[in-house]
Structure formats: C-alpha cells, structure tokens
Amino acid sequence: QVQLVESGGGLVQPGGSLRLSCAASGSIGSIMGWYRQAPGKQREFIAAISSGGTTTYVDSVKGRFTISRDNAKNTVYLQMNSLKTEDTAVYYCNRAYGATALPWGQGTQVTVSS
C-alpha cells in the first residue's frame, strides 16, 4: 500500500511563504490533490494537479498557492505565498476527483500567526 508523508509545515507570519512536500512510497494517482483541515472544521480540498500538469484551485487559495508534482520522484508540492491567518490548518495530500483515496498521512501543520 502506498504511503503518503507530508512535510514542510511550520509557523509563519501573515504574508509569508511555505513550501509543502508530499512524498509517496510508490506510484501516485493520475490526479493528486492537497487538502487541509482547520481546527473544528472538516477536511477540505484546496488544489489538484493531473499527471500532465493541469491544475485547479479553490477560490480561497487561487493566485496565492501553486501545486506542482515530480512524477519521477512520486512527490507533490504546494507552494504557499501571501499566507493568511485563515490558512492555518493541517495540510494533507491524496488522490483527488473521485479516485480511490490512499491511506491518509499524518499531515503537516501550518500555523500563520504574528
């Protein structure tokens, strides 16, 4: 079973940047996504990328976040710029758009605070 390991989170001030990574132990799906779960809220989808590089974003992160992938390394990235306090959450990656989900990783905590 493919395992997902997210990393790169941390504490950053509003307006700052972070780059998250999601390393898979095996081949990842054709469409991979990033998700986040804020305290007291359900996990939400925020971005996806196809194997060919087509990307989609929810409005709340569009223009600030960039998803990318390295198929040879089975790794998906999320570059986050202009971070806001409302971006504080645990971030996860997994397959997207109805594909059978892989086991969820532990996620990586992103805290945006001054």
Side-chain angles (χ1 to χ4, degrees):
Q1 184 74 301
V2 176
Q3 294 184 329
L4 302 169
V5 179
E6 299 91 350
S7 62
L11 173 64
V12 64
Q13 292 185 340
S17 298
L18 284 173
R19 188 191 194 213
L20 306 184
S21 298
C22 169
S25 60
S27 180
I28 54 179
S30 60
I31 301 178
M32 290 294 293
W34 280 96
Y35 303 76
R36 67 185 180 187
Q37 186 168 19
K41 296 186 177 181
Q42 290 189 332
R43 186 179 293 156
E44 64 170 345
F45 163 83
I46 58 172
I49 184 167
S50 71
S51 57
T54 300
T55 58
T56 58
Y57 303 91
V58 296
D59 287 345
S60 60
V61 307
K62 196 174 296 182
R64 300 187 299 121
F65 292 8
T66 303
I67 188 172
S68 60
R69 64 191 287 167
D70 185 330
N71 293 326
K73 294 182 178 180
N74 294 322
T75 301
V76 183
Y77 305 97
L78 186 69
Q79 177 67 43
M80 306 188 297
N81 299 328
S82 302
L83 283 161
K84 305 176 181 180
T85 55
E86 52 263 44
D87 295 318
T88 294
V90 180
Y91 284 71
Y92 304 86
C93 68
N94 212 313
R95 291 174 176 163
Y97 287 107
T100 301
L102 296 167
W104 291 91
Q106 83 289 348
T108 186
Q109 175 71 49
V110 172
T111 303
V112 184
S113 175
S114 56

